[in-house]
Amino acid sequence: DAGVIQSPRHEVTEMGQEVTLRCKPISGHDYLFWYRQTMMRGLELLIYFNNNVPIDDSGMPEDRFSAKMPNASFSTLKIQPSEPRDSAVYFCASSPMRGADTQYFGPGTRLTVL
Amino acid sequence: AQSVAQPEDQVNVAEGNPLTVKCTYSVSGNPYLFWYVQYPNRGLQFLLKYITGDNLVKGSYGFEAEFNKSQTSFHLKKPSALVSDSALYFCAVRDIGSSNTGKLIFGQGTTLQVKP
């Protein structure tokens, strides 16, 4: 299995621009998680889905952030408009329904907002 | 509320020596506990987990962790450290308070530095 796939791996954009991060979970996994990692705040859970349905989005920092999961094999995290403080590494993770606790992480997208 | 604490920002150990990375937890019921490792510029990788049963859990790369209910601890250990073990280590606890049980709560992470 290819594991969790994220794209792009690196994104540099200017303040005010729209940013879309993409994730393909491991086939057959029913949970999908979006995390953000910064030096200051550590690893933060932004939102997670179960069977394509958002379950908990309490970690989404502002209305500028939105996430979708239109099908079991694809999810997006969108920031519009982006701000310099959004600069971070964004991770996607997936987990099977059985043994739902073991999460498998993607390689991350390093976002820099200038 | 469930929580997990990693009291050390960094642990330094010489290669070949035993290592311990500390983790304490707070849960209302029975804890499900995890350790993950993050190498530079990589995503987190699952190392091991405790659900129930034997208090000593063995995981990947020769790591093990000991669950201690009376001390509410789940320290990560390895008998002989390697330079390649240098990484960021995260302890996590499963949130059993939410209606959906998929969520993990992560600690702040501990940087392990193994020197030759």
Side-chain angles (χ1 to χ4, degrees):
Chain A
D1 197 318
V4 176
I5 298 172
Q6 291 187 248
S7 63
R9 292 294 310 276
H10 302 272
E11 176 81 28
V12 180
T13 190
E14 293 187 348
M15 183 174 63
Q17 296 299 306
E18 178 180 293
V19 174
T20 299
L21 311 181
R22 297 173 176 80
C23 175
K24 176 179 171 55
I26 293 172
S27 177
H29 283 192
D30 294 303
Y31 289 86
L32 184 138
F33 305 82
W34 281 102
Y35 291 90
R36 177 172 69 175
Q37 186 178 35
T38 62
M39 289 293 292
M40 291 295 294
R41 300 171 71 95
L43 190 66
E44 304 173 275
L45 176 65
L46 300 177
I47 185 172
Y48 77 99
F49 296 81
N50 183 20
N51 290 321
N52 312 337
V53 176
I55 301 300
D56 183 352
D57 65 355
S58 60
M60 296 286 263
E62 301 172 30
D63 291 345
R64 298 185 295 108
F65 285 69
S66 62
K68 293 182 180 180
M69 193 165 185
N71 57 62
S73 59
F74 184 65
S75 177
T76 60
L77 178 68
K78 186 175 293 186
I79 308 172
Q80 166 63 18
S82 58
E83 296 182 4
R85 60 192 168 124
D86 301 331
S87 298
V89 181
Y90 291 81
F91 290 104
C92 176
S94 71
S95 177
M97 174 65 84
R98 186 172 63 87
D101 310 298
T102 302
Q103 296 181 17
Y104 298 86
F105 282 73
T109 295
R110 183 174 295 277
L111 174 64
T112 303
V113 183
L114 303 175
Chain B
Q2 328 289 330
S3 66
V4 63
Q6 296 179 242
E8 302 156 316
D9 289 336
Q10 182 158 330
V11 170
N12 298 310
V13 64
E15 188 175 31
N17 283 0
L19 69 88
T20 299
V21 183
K22 296 180 180 177
C23 172
T24 58
Y25 65 89
S26 175
V27 298
S28 55
N30 293 322
Y32 296 166
L33 295 156
F34 305 82
W35 277 102
Y36 284 79
V37 60
Q38 185 181 25
Y39 298 102
N41 301 313
R42 302 284 296 275
L44 278 70
Q45 296 179 30
F46 170 75
L47 271 181
L48 51 82
K49 66 181 177 182
Y50 171 83
I51 303 297
T52 187
D54 195 346
N55 290 342
L56 186 63
V57 180
K58 294 188 182 298
S60 306
Y61 311 121
F63 283 93
E64 58 189 26
E66 186 170 10
F67 171 66
N68 188 318
K69 189 172 184 178
S70 63
Q71 297 185 5
T72 62
S73 67
F74 189 58
H75 300 333
L76 182 69
K77 300 181 180 183
K78 187 174 182 181
S80 179
L82 300 172
V83 172
S84 57
D85 292 331
S86 298
L88 182 60
Y89 290 81
F90 290 94
C91 183
V93 63
R94 173 175 159 181
D95 181 357
I96 60 175
S98 63
S99 58
N100 190 298
T101 58
K103 184 177 177 179
L104 288 178
I105 297 170
F106 285 87
Q108 285 299 304
T110 298
T111 298
L112 173 65
Q113 187 72 39
V114 181
K115 297 185 177 180

